[in-house]
Amino acid sequence: MRYLFWNTHNKNVDSIVCELVKKYTPTVLTLAEYNGNIEQLVGNIQQSSNLKYKVVDRFACRVQILINIKLYDKVEHCHDHKNYTIKMLPYNNYKDNHIVAFVHLPSKMNNNREKNRYLLEKITSQINDLSIETDRKVVIVGDFNLNPYDDAMTQLTGCNAVSSRNVALKIGRKHWIEKEKQFLYYYNPMWNFLGDSNNVCGTYYYDKTTDHSRYWNTFDQFLVSPHLIKDIKEIEIVTNVGNIDLTDKHGVPNVKFSDHYPLYFKLGGK
C-alpha cells in the first residue's frame, strides 16, 4: 500500500499532484486544504498517468481522499468529524483490512493544543472500538498541527505515539490510576525526520520569531499500530517532483505551491 498526503494550502497545484501521482503511484492520495475541482483532478490524473481513482465519500471532514478505483467498492465508512474521518480499507493484497484515520487538526498557532489532545483521544477511542476485527492494523495520517514530541501526541490519553519500535511492540501501557485499562501504543516514524540529518528539517516552516520558536515543524505525519511496524518500507518528505522544486531559495517550502511538503510512505509489498 502506498500513501501520499499533502496539505495543499488552498493553492492551484493540480499539475504538481499529477506529477506526484506519476512518480509515487499511491494507492491512497489524501489532500487537505484542497479547494479545486476534485473530479476534474481525477480526470487530469488519469489523462497524465493512466491511473484511475475515485473520490471517497466525505461528510463533515475537510480532507479529500482519492483511492485506486479497484479498491473503491471495498471502502467502509466508520466515523466522520470536521477534523478527521475514519475508514476501513483493504490491506495485504486486499485479503484483509486495516483502519485508516485521515486527520487535519486545528492550527497549533491558535492555542488548540488541548482541543487537539481531545480530538486524538476521541480518534484513538473510536479506532479501539473497531480494531478487534482487524488485529489492530491501524494507520493515522495527515496534518496533526502538532510535532511528534508534543504532549497530545505522546500522552497515553492522547495518541500514545512513541519514537521507539521496541517500546511500541510492547503493545500498550497502563495508567497508574486506571490500572485495569491498557492504553495501546502507536509507533511514530516521523521522529526520525527531526533535525537536518535527512537533508530536510521537517514538513512545515514558521519563522515568526518568539522566545521559543522552533522554525521547522513536522506537522505532517503518519502513525502505525504495532502490527504494522514491520511493514514500513519507504518514507519520504517530498521536496521535488519531476522538474518542479517545491523548495524556495531559502531552503523552505515554496509558498507559491504550499507551505507544507507532501509526505509519501509505503507499507507492505504493494
Side-chain angles (χ1 to χ4, degrees), residues 42 45-46 49-54 67-70:
V42 170
I45 290 172
Q46 182 174 348
S49 64
N50 204 32
L51 294 170
K52 296 181 180 180
Y53 291 87
K54 288 200 73 171
I67 191 165
N68 186 294
I69 195 169
K70 296 177 182 178

Side-chain angles (χ1 to χ4, degrees), residues 76-177:
E76 180 182 339
H77 175 70
C78 302
H79 294 284
D80 207 73
H81 181 277
K82 181 176 71 173
N83 298 111
Y84 67 87
T85 187
I86 302 174
K87 310 290 187 186
M88 192 91 71
L89 305 180
Y91 189 73
N92 189 24
N93 294 320
Y94 318 141
K95 293 178 181 178
D96 57 3
N97 293 320
H98 69 316
I99 296 166
V100 186
F102 302 91
V103 307
H104 183 201
L105 300 187
S107 173
K108 185 179 181 181
M109 307 306 173
N110 298 324
N111 294 318
N112 283 311
R113 288 182 177 85
E114 186 58 26
K115 183 176 182 179
N116 287 349
R117 189 204 62 76
Y118 165 77
L119 287 170
L120 289 173
E121 180 179 358
K122 187 174 180 181
I123 290 166
T124 53
S125 176
Q126 290 176 338
I127 288 171
N128 290 343
D129 291 340
L130 297 166
S131 61
I132 294 175
E133 60 190 88
T134 60
D135 197 25
R136 272 195 58 77
K137 292 184 177 69
V138 182
V139 176
I140 307 177
V141 57
D143 179 0
F144 290 76
N145 267 305
L146 296 163
N147 280 299
Y149 49 78
D150 281 325
D151 287 349
M153 298 295 294
T154 60
Q155 284 176 344
L156 80 168
T157 54
C159 231
N160 202 20
V162 296
S163 62
S164 166
R165 291 170 179 248
N166 290 335
V167 171
L169 287 170
K170 295 177 181 178
I171 307 301
R173 56 176 166 165
K174 295 185 178 181
H175 194 282
W176 64 277
I177 295 178

Side-chain angles (χ1 to χ4, degrees), residues 197-213:
S197 62
N198 295 284
N199 297 319
V200 59
C201 303
T203 66
Y204 174 82
Y205 184 81
Y206 185 75
D207 65 355
K208 304 300 181 184
T209 302
T210 68
D211 59 356
H212 62 278
S213 180

Side-chain angles (χ1 to χ4, degrees), residues 134-264:
T134 60
D135 197 25
R136 272 195 58 77
K137 292 184 177 69
V138 182
V139 176
I140 307 177
V141 57
D143 179 0
F144 290 76
N145 267 305
L146 296 163
N147 280 299
Y149 49 78
D150 281 325
D151 287 349
M153 298 295 294
T154 60
Q155 284 176 344
L156 80 168
T157 54
C159 231
N160 202 20
V162 296
S163 62
S164 166
R165 291 170 179 248
N166 290 335
V167 171
L169 287 170
K170 295 177 181 178
I171 307 301
R173 56 176 166 165
K174 295 185 178 181
H175 194 282
W176 64 277
I177 295 178
E178 300 180 76
K179 295 182 180 180
E180 74 288 349
K181 181 178 180 180
Q182 187 178 48
F183 291 82
L184 300 168
Y185 283 123
Y186 287 90
Y187 171 60
N188 187 351
M190 299 307 293
W191 278 88
N192 295 305
F193 291 85
L194 300 177
D196 57 6
S197 62
N198 295 284
N199 297 319
V200 59
C201 303
T203 66
Y204 174 82
Y205 184 81
Y206 185 75
D207 65 355
K208 304 300 181 184
T209 302
T210 68
D211 59 356
H212 62 278
S213 180
R214 296 174 176 86
Y215 297 97
W216 278 101
N217 300 274
T218 303
F219 288 166
D220 308 276
Q221 305 171 60
F222 76 99
L223 319 176
V224 297
S225 58
H227 289 290
L228 289 179
I229 289 175
K230 66 181 188 308
D231 285 3
I232 298 174
K233 305 300 181 186
E234 301 173 18
I235 308 173
E236 182 181 347
I237 296 173
V238 182
T239 58
N240 62 79
V241 58
N243 61 357
I244 304 169
D245 189 353
L246 303 179
T247 300
D248 71 11
K249 64 182 181 180
H250 303 293
V252 302
N254 192 331
V255 295
K256 180 173 72 172
F257 307 123
S258 173
D259 55 357
H260 289 249
Y261 285 134
L263 172 63
Y264 163 78

Side-chain angles (χ1 to χ4, degrees), residues 58-74:
R58 63 176 184 159
F59 303 95
C61 186
R62 301 174 296 168
V63 175
Q64 293 278 12
I65 305 166
L66 306 184
I67 191 165
N68 186 294
I69 195 169
K70 296 177 182 178
L71 305 186
Y72 178 77
D73 290 336
K74 298 178 176 65

